[in-house]
Amino acid sequence: MAPKAADITPLQPQADSAPASGGQTVNWPAWINADCTPPAQLDQQPRPRRHTTPFISAHWFPNGLETTVVFRLEVTAQGQLGRVAYQPADADPRIVKSILQSLKRWQFKPGMRQGQPVTSCFEQPYQLVFPRQEVDAPRTPTMNTDPQ
């Protein structure tokens, strides 16, 4: 049976700094609090204008996997992707690399404060579900030994 494709779901962007899924407290890097305009001070949150979906192969996880990886994205006043952080820190590096490659192609509308674009941040969670792959039992080749 061919492996099923993973269900990769970019969840709704979240501008607040609430704990990541599962209610766990997330320790984000200091630059997020130091350099990002707090969501409560924004007239308009940063928004993706164009986004792409990462390619993550189900072959990487033959035993299945269900996880959520949360990316914190910095969007500059010019609408460019700035720094990026993610949780959990021990997320599979192949997943992280694929999502980062996808994020580099995103385009943004910057956050606005008092009518001016400002550097701000938002969370972009990805919920990934990879079903366990059923492996067919190897078949023994059969030979036709009947006389022809």
Side-chain angles (χ1 to χ4, degrees):
M1 175 190 290
K4 295 178 182 174
D7 177 13
I8 304 168
T9 308
L11 303 173
Q12 292 298 320
Q14 299 173 354
D16 61 1
S17 54
S21 64
Q24 301 171 354
T25 302
V26 177
N27 294 320
W28 293 107
W31 60 261
I32 291 172
N33 291 328
D35 300 339
C36 294
T37 304
Q41 295 179 9
L42 295 174
D43 304 329
Q44 180 179 321
Q45 304 294 329
R47 294 184 314 219
R49 289 188 308 147
R50 178 182 169 281
H51 67 278
T52 59
T53 302
F55 172 77
I56 300 174
S57 176
H59 290 289
W60 298 345
F61 308 102
N63 293 325
L65 176 71
E66 186 168 340
T67 188
T68 299
V69 182
V70 180
F71 282 78
R72 180 59 74 104
L73 310 178
E74 177 186 53
V75 177
T76 67
Q78 295 76 33
Q80 302 296 317
L81 178 64
R83 294 171 282 191
V84 177
Y86 63 90
Q87 293 289 337
D90 63 349
D92 187 292
R94 296 169 294 186
I95 292 173
V96 172
K97 181 179 178 183
S98 180
I99 292 173
L100 285 172
Q101 287 175 339
S102 172
L103 289 171
K104 289 177 184 177
R105 294 188 298 270
W106 284 33
Q107 295 175 357
F108 299 92
K109 285 189 170 191
M112 302 292 284
R113 180 177 180 198
Q114 298 176 350
Q116 298 297 316
V118 294
T119 297
S120 53
C121 297
F122 71 96
E123 288 185 5
Q124 178 61 57
Y126 287 85
Q127 182 179 15
L128 299 105
V129 178
F130 297 88
R132 181 178 174 85
Q133 298 176 22
E134 299 298 326
V135 179
D136 291 337
R139 295 185 219 167
T140 306
T142 57
M143 296 179 67
N144 184 355
T145 57
D146 295 335
Q148 302 221 358

